[in-house]
Amino acid sequence: MSAAVPTFVLGGSGYVAGELLRLLAGHPGLRLAAAVSESQAGQPVERAFPHLAGCFPGLNFAGRDELDELLERAVSGTAAAAAGRAAALCAAPHGAAAAQVDALLAAAERRGVRLSLVDLSADFRFPTAGAYEEVYGHPHGAPHRLGQFRCGLPEHFEVAATGAAAAPHVAHPGCFPTAVLLAAVPLLRRGLIAPRLDVVAVTGSTGAGRTPTATTHHPARRSNLFAYSPLRHRHAPEMRALATAAAGSPVEIHFVPQAGPFARGIYATIQTTLLHPAGPPGGGGDDESAAAVRAALADFYAGEPFVDVLTDPPRLQDVIGTNRCRLGVAVAGERLVVFSAIDNLVKGAAGGAVQWLNRMLGFAPQAGLTLPGLGWL
């Protein structure tokens, strides 16, 4: 009998799903029960993800119509079944995720299985269907499930639980919000900065998904850099909502995303006003202020294994392939800049979701996530 918790991956053939499978292959407490993909049902998992060769031999993608049978098979005769536990990670696109999540939760309810689920789409990040529809422009696929989710980062568990402390499931905020909120929330919570953030963040092409478009296809991005949806990006309302919840009062976020000429990673530059600078620009007060901000960030994340506060600006390549976020600061008088570097597919998506499952299921925070960086890409 295995003590590992049977775990389902929904929307299983995209980039984020591939990262989820990579992490599950080495996780000591989670066992892949099924990878569900409507577009790849019946096809070998290793055909979609050749880099996972040998990790899941003989495993084919399942269809959504198999969920009941898969759930019964997954928990039968396992130690997890005795506790009635299972887990799920949903990597389906927004607009498609809600129906898949609803189907799996309904199957778990029918069978009396306690399912812990983390959704990586945008479908459960908003508290109401109206708020979701205002941003995404179409009806929500499972509005009756919204109250079962809380949205936030695992490092911000206490503020993530605001208004939904008993919610059994989690909506992960996504890659851009992860990079920005890890930098800003501690400073907002402690009243060190003004509630206005000006953000420029450069992302790799994997953030746009596996299907090429006119702006994500490699020839359009190689040796290129350009802004897209400036001040109108759909992640901005999500950032504002979580930052406001953390601060306890409204926070302005002016967000300019940029498409970078690389595959993985996000480098965010957040500019704001320091409310209590140590002196005017150009003097020793700047160093004192910067040291105070770094100390506040380090203190806030004390005991959190995946956030590093550096004395110099972080470098993107140092976090690629890892579940780490690296932060750096610069100060000139009352002007503060915070730099944040993450891997969008790991810390910004799959790794953050597994980190949430670790918390929800009582595993160590580092379980399955002590990944070394990829180094020289």
Side-chain angles (χ1 to χ4, degrees), residues 311-322:
T311 55
D312 295 312
R315 298 187 176 210
L316 187 61
Q317 194 172 102
D318 294 343
V319 299
I320 297 304
T322 80

Side-chain angles (χ1 to χ4, degrees), residues 26-327:
H27 197 289
L30 301 175
R31 172 180 59 82
L32 181 64
V36 178
S37 171
E38 295 186 276
S39 64
Q40 300 286 328
Q43 298 299 312
V45 168
E46 292 182 358
R47 181 179 297 174
F49 302 113
H51 66 291
L52 299 180
C55 293
F56 305 105
L59 181 67
N60 293 342
F61 286 110
R64 191 168 67 176
D65 57 350
E66 302 175 64
L67 281 176
D68 266 299
E69 179 185 347
L70 290 168
L71 189 63
E72 180 177 14
R73 188 189 313 157
V75 300
S76 296
T78 68
R85 296 308 303 259
L89 298 153
C90 181
H94 68 266
Q100 296 188 38
V101 165
D102 184 36
L104 183 58
L105 291 177
E109 290 162 359
R110 286 193 296 271
R111 299 187 177 280
V113 175
R114 287 191 301 149
L115 185 72
S116 297
L117 189 146
V118 181
D119 179 46
L120 287 148
S121 80
D123 285 8
F124 296 96
R125 293 175 188 164
F126 294 90
T128 67
Y132 171 84
E133 291 164 12
E134 184 177 352
V135 174
Y136 286 89
H138 57 255
H140 194 277
H144 58 290
R145 297 285 185 190
L146 287 170
Q148 299 176 15
F149 284 80
R150 63 172 175 255
C151 182
L153 297 172
E155 287 86 359
H156 302 159
F157 172 69
E158 288 77 12
V159 293
T162 299
H169 309 299
V170 167
H172 192 274
C175 52
F176 277 131
T178 294
V180 173
L181 294 169
L182 284 171
V185 161
L187 306 180
L188 290 165
R189 290 279 285 179
R190 299 193 173 190
L192 299 179
I193 60 174
R196 174 186 168 122
L197 309 176
D198 296 306
V199 180
V200 174
V202 187
T203 184
S205 56
T206 54
R210 196 163 185 170
T211 303
T213 68
T215 57
T216 63
H217 193 44
H218 182 67
R221 291 182 74 137
R222 182 183 180 277
S223 303
N224 202 0
L225 181 69
F226 53 90
Y228 64 99
S229 301
L231 304 179
R232 301 181 186 279
H233 194 274
R234 59 185 174 85
H235 281 325
E238 300 164 10
M239 289 185 214
R240 280 195 295 269
L242 290 169
T244 294
S249 58
V251 176
E252 291 182 51
I253 297 182
H254 304 278
F255 176 49
V256 178
Q258 296 184 340
F262 47 88
R264 302 171 72 121
I266 287 177
Y267 199 97
T269 301
I270 302 105
Q271 297 196 50
T272 186
T273 300
L274 192 61
L275 294 179
H276 308 289
D286 289 348
D287 292 339
E288 187 178 338
S289 292
V293 172
R294 285 194 295 269
L297 290 168
D299 181 66
F300 189 93
Y301 290 120
E304 295 291 348
F306 299 117
V307 182
D308 304 322
V309 182
L310 310 181
T311 55
D312 295 312
R315 298 187 176 210
L316 187 61
Q317 194 172 102
D318 294 343
V319 299
I320 297 304
T322 80
N323 194 52
R324 311 199 72 80
C325 172
R326 291 196 152 184
L327 303 174

